[in-house]
RNA sequence: GGGGGUGUAGCUCAGAGGCAGAGCAGUAGACUUUUAAUCUAUUGGCCGAGGGUUCGAAUCCCUCCACCCUCACCA
């Protein structure tokens, strides 16, 4: 794609020749500094109705150029928007010829006066201009922009320069994340940082990435979750904590999975699952209202209106309705037959399979799916009335899991038993089962208060609130194979 | 991993056995109110890579690479 040795194609050569001409005239093509008086958006709004000529110094990237002879119009773009600028022979004299050394893609600084054309376009009439950064490669075409998805992801900067909608998606992503922070900070949550490099991984079912620390001469794992560390902080006495973390899972890549992805996890002492459910609904609704003009968006061929209350449904009810089976009454054999899998995969896997195929696609409107089987939830607290189930929900919107929460298991004896059970599955060949974390269990033995925990996949939430169907459209630099 | 699709100029795309094409951008020229400016002329190609079939391959066949969709996998 980008060769080590720059191609000496015609377009690049022509730009290098212009570069030489700029240098020969004693001008630095890449100067250090340019003092501007306004951003382009500020200049636009500074142009008052009183019609007084306002002197401005502006800077930006040249993205369009229309040469009309003794008059030229061009368009500058900066982080705030675009503004038309004009060059007139009568204002510039001999310097008008220097326009020949400009290319679309160059950054330039100009000084001049704002005016309004006969068509009403606010325009900066240039009296002086200078290069700020010469561009040596042509930008994508002005009308269609950059379309090829491969090139858009590999050279995201070109995508951002050319496609305003893409820019807006990532601006919205940032607003969602900062909105989350603000919302939690206002409610007394404390943002913390926990290790990315972990001696033992856990908190989720996934294959980890392994790396090696030379000085310690030991393998370390990139975290698949920060759950077990955040709970240690609850044990340590921080009652409300959250972390916005990059997690890493060594699994396939598709439109809802990227090997590194963003997650927010939060833990609140003395909160139960109901509290967390309320919090989740309030948070998601607040973010939706902040980002969506009317609090609704189209998703999976339906209109999701976040102002409406979220539905609640238990795993048992859902499987009765859509898979026609009572998960609490059915034998392993019956579940296996319904799921079309061997009994040996285990009850948890069977239920999971039935949910994926029959239930999840149905959950288009925001729905809390509650009361999960204990086999699928090794870190969640059992229900008091039914030990086969745990106090847990997953939030589904558009048929996709967006959040996961439970009353945290704080019984160290039960926790050890479940981790040991997981480790057995690991020995039996389940590459995604986590190992026993004795250090974590020791921490639990000191005592963890009753705690509610929540994890939200940030990328998937951003997809939902920006109407994107691929996770690559909400991650600036999604993982790609290397080109040789 | 299975199935389907795509890959041609800097970008967006036509071309489906017989001379490699268009629009945009680029270059040269004309033009002082353009907004995808317009008009004239024009440069630009390892047709993803490698092999094969054929008198002749961008086009047909095989292998490989990358990307997209889909199924499987993935709480």
């Amino acid at each position: 794609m980008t060769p080590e040795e720059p191609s000496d194609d015609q377009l690049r050569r022509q730009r290098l020749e212009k570069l030489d001409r700029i240098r020969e005239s004693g001008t630095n093509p890449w100067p250090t500094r340019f003092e501007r008086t306004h951003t382009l958006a500020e200049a636009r709004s500074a142009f008052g109705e009183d019609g007084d000529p306002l002197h401005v110094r502006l800077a930006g990237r040249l993205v369009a150029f229309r040469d009309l002879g003794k008059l030229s119009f061009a368009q500058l773009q900066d982080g705030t928007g675009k503004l038309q600028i004009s060059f007139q022979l009568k204002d510039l004299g001999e310097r008008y010829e220097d326009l020949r050394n400009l290319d679309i893609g160059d950054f330039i600084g100009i000084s001049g006066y704002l005016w309004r054309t006969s068509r009403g376009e606010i325009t900066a009439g240039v009296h002086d201009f200078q290069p700020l950064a010469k561009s040596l490669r042509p930008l994508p075409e002005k009308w269609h922009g950059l379309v090829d998805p491969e090139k858009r992801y590999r050279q995201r900067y070109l995508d951002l320069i050319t496609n305003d909608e893409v820019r807006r998606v990532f601006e919205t992503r940032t607003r969602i994340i900062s909105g989350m922070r603000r919302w939690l900070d206002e409610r007394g949550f404390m943002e913390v940082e926990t290790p990315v490099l972990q001696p033992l991984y856990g908190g989720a079912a996934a294959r980890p990435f392994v790396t090696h620390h030379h000085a310690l001469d030991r393998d370390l794992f990139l975290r698949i979750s920060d759950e077990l560390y955040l709970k240690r902080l609850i044990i340590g006495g921080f009652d409300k904590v959250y972390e916005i973390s990059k997690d890493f899972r060594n699994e396939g890549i598709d439109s809802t999975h990227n090997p590194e992805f963003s997650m927010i996890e939060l833990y609140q002492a003395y909160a139960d699952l109901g509290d967390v459910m309320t919090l989740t609904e309030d948070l998601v609704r607040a973010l939706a209202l902040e980002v969506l003009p009317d609090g609704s968006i189209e998703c999976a061929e339906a209109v999701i209106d976040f102002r409406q209350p979220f539905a609640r449904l238990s795993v048992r009810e859902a499987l009765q309705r859509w898979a026609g089976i009572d998960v609490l009454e059915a034998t392993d054999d019956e579940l296996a037959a319904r799921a079309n899998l061997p009994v040996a995969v285990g009850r948890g896997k069977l239920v999971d399979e039935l949910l994926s195929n029959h239930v999840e696609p149905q959950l288009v409107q925001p729905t809390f799916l509650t009361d999960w089987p204990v086999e699928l939830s090794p870190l969640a607290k059992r229900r008091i009335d039914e030990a086969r189930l745990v106090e847990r929900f997953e939030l589904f919107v558009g048929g996709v899991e967006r959040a996961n929460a439970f009353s945290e298991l704080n019984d160290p004896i039960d926790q050890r038993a479940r981790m040991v059970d997981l480790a057995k599955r690991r020995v039996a060949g389940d590459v995604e089962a986590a190992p026993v974390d004795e250090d974590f269990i020791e921490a639990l033995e000191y005592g963890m208060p009753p705690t509610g925990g929540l994890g939200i996949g940030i990328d998937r939430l951003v997809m939902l609130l920006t109407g994107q169907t691929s996770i690559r459209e909400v991650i600036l630099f999604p993982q790609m194979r290397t080109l040789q």
Side-chain angles (χ1 to χ4, degrees):
Chain A
M1 170 120 323
T2 306
E4 294 239 342
E5 244 172 74
S7 60
D8 69 337
D9 64 63
Q10 186 188 37
L11 295 172
R12 191 163 179 279
R13 258 198 335 270
Q14 285 167 345
R15 287 177 178 233
L16 286 170
E17 283 162 14
K18 292 178 183 181
L19 177 67
D20 285 342
R21 292 206 292 271
I22 291 170
R23 283 189 158 134
E24 279 161 18
S25 74
T27 305
N28 181 355
W30 288 287
T32 306
R33 187 166 170 75
F34 179 83
E35 301 270 357
R36 59 179 178 172
T37 57
H38 302 74
T39 66
L40 298 181
E42 285 166 356
R44 184 182 295 280
S45 51
F47 183 71
E49 292 304 316
D50 51 10
D52 287 342
L54 176 67
H55 181 256
V56 292
R57 288 169 60 83
L58 306 174
R61 173 186 271 128
L62 209 53
V63 291
F65 200 91
R66 297 180 283 276
D67 177 3
L68 274 59
K70 298 185 178 65
L71 166 71
S72 296
F73 289 99
Q75 219 168 18
L76 277 191
Q77 173 174 297
D78 70 6
T80 67
K82 295 177 185 171
L83 189 75
Q84 178 166 275
I85 61 177
S86 63
F87 302 88
Q88 294 198 61
L89 179 61
K90 71 176 168 58
D91 293 331
L92 290 166
E94 288 178 0
R95 295 229 44 216
Y96 195 80
E97 270 300 299
D98 292 344
L99 292 177
R100 302 173 76 87
N101 296 330
L102 293 184
D103 282 300
I104 286 174
D106 289 0
F107 283 89
I108 62 169
I110 64 118
S111 67
Y113 289 87
L114 293 179
W115 62 294
R116 196 188 282 274
T117 67
S118 54
R119 298 275 180 90
E121 181 89 15
I122 295 171
T123 302
V126 175
H127 285 245
D128 192 23
F129 65 96
Q130 66 177 89
L132 298 182
K134 184 67 191 160
S135 162
L136 300 181
R137 292 176 188 256
L139 291 180
E141 192 219 12
K142 60 187 172 187
W143 188 240
H144 300 92
L146 190 62
V147 173
D148 177 10
E150 181 170 359
K151 210 154 273 186
R152 287 182 45 232
Y153 302 147
R154 287 189 195 276
Q155 294 179 277
R156 182 68 91 180
Y157 47 94
L158 294 179
D159 193 25
L160 291 168
I161 291 169
T162 324
N163 298 319
D164 286 341
E165 331 77 66
V166 173
R167 217 192 146 80
R168 273 197 294 279
V169 166
F170 288 105
E171 285 167 351
T172 302
R173 180 185 173 111
T174 293
R175 284 170 55 209
I176 290 169
I177 293 173
S178 55
M180 248 178 213
R181 277 209 168 86
R182 202 177 332 111
W183 197 91
L184 291 170
D185 291 346
E186 281 168 0
R187 283 159 184 77
F189 281 87
M190 173 174 153
E191 182 171 9
V192 297
E193 292 179 290
T194 67
V196 174
L197 295 175
Q198 302 181 345
L200 213 54
Y201 61 96
R207 297 177 71 166
F209 286 93
V210 187
T211 186
H212 190 81
H213 189 282
H214 295 299
L216 297 179
D217 188 24
R218 63 158 304 165
D219 285 342
L220 291 170
F221 303 98
L222 274 64
R223 64 179 166 200
I224 58 174
S225 147
D226 48 1
E227 170 151 358
L228 301 183
Y229 281 93
L230 292 177
K231 285 182 185 170
R232 284 173 172 97
L233 295 178
I234 293 287
I235 294 166
F238 291 132
D239 287 344
K240 295 166 115 181
V241 295
Y242 73 96
E243 179 169 20
I244 293 175
S245 76
K246 267 283 183 76
D247 292 349
F248 307 85
R249 297 186 185 174
N250 208 336
E251 54 197 25
I253 299 177
D254 63 29
S255 60
T256 53
H257 295 84
N258 194 63
E260 59 179 293
F261 62 101
S262 298
M263 177 89 111
I264 178 165
E265 288 196 34
L266 67 84
Y267 292 83
Q268 179 172 357
Y270 315 111
D272 68 8
L273 194 70
D275 298 321
V276 177
M277 202 179 287
T278 305
L279 181 152
T280 304
E281 186 166 346
D282 290 348
L283 173 58
V284 170
R285 179 170 297 123
L287 295 171
L289 289 173
E290 186 164 326
V291 165
L292 301 171
D294 66 347
S296 74
I297 194 167
E298 215 170 300
C299 175
E301 291 164 6
V303 175
I304 313 289
D305 186 347
F306 290 96
R307 292 167 301 188
Q308 300 301 317
F310 295 5
R312 299 175 185 207
L313 185 67
S314 73
V315 166
R316 186 183 188 185
E317 289 170 319
L319 284 174
Q320 275 170 334
R321 186 181 307 173
W322 286 300
I325 195 162
D326 186 329
V327 68
L328 286 185
E329 300 300 324
T331 63
D332 286 6
D333 286 331
E334 287 167 339
L335 279 177
R338 189 72 186 86
N340 240 334
L341 284 175
V343 184
V345 299
R347 205 172 171 88
K349 183 86 185 164
L350 292 173
V351 172
D352 195 32
E353 185 71 10
L354 289 171
L355 286 174
S356 300
N357 292 335
H358 299 96
V359 174
E360 295 180 7
Q362 305 290 336
L363 305 180
V364 173
Q365 290 298 324
T367 305
F368 291 113
L369 192 61
T370 63
D371 303 325
W372 288 65
V374 66
E375 296 89 347
L376 283 172
S377 318
L379 301 167
K381 186 178 268 191
R382 292 178 202 265
R383 288 186 60 101
I384 299 172
D385 56 346
E386 174 51 83
R388 291 173 294 173
L389 299 179
V390 295
E391 288 200 20
R392 172 183 177 187
F393 71 74
E394 284 193 2
L395 173 63
F396 285 84
V397 187
V400 174
E401 178 204 343
R402 314 282 171 164
N404 181 21
F406 29 89
S407 294
E408 303 299 333
L409 177 57
N410 59 348
D411 170 349
I413 295 163
D414 191 4
Q415 182 66 84
R416 176 191 301 279
R418 292 208 232 161
M419 280 188 165
V420 166
D421 193 47
L422 263 187
K424 280 184 195 149
R425 282 182 10 211
R426 185 177 164 72
V427 171
D430 183 349
V431 290
E432 296 184 338
V436 178
D437 190 335
E438 288 292 349
D439 184 80
F440 172 70
I441 294 169
E442 180 181 339
L444 268 191
E445 289 189 349
Y446 283 93
M448 183 172 87
T451 298
L454 167 69
I456 302 177
I458 289 179
D459 311 287
R460 292 180 179 182
L461 180 67
V462 173
M463 284 169 66
L464 175 63
L465 296 182
T466 57
Q468 299 301 316
T469 55
S470 168
I471 201 168
R472 293 175 217 102
E473 296 296 345
V474 301
I475 291 176
L476 281 166
F477 299 101
Q479 193 62 47
M480 303 287 273
R481 284 174 211 272
T482 46
L483 297 173
Q484 89 288 14

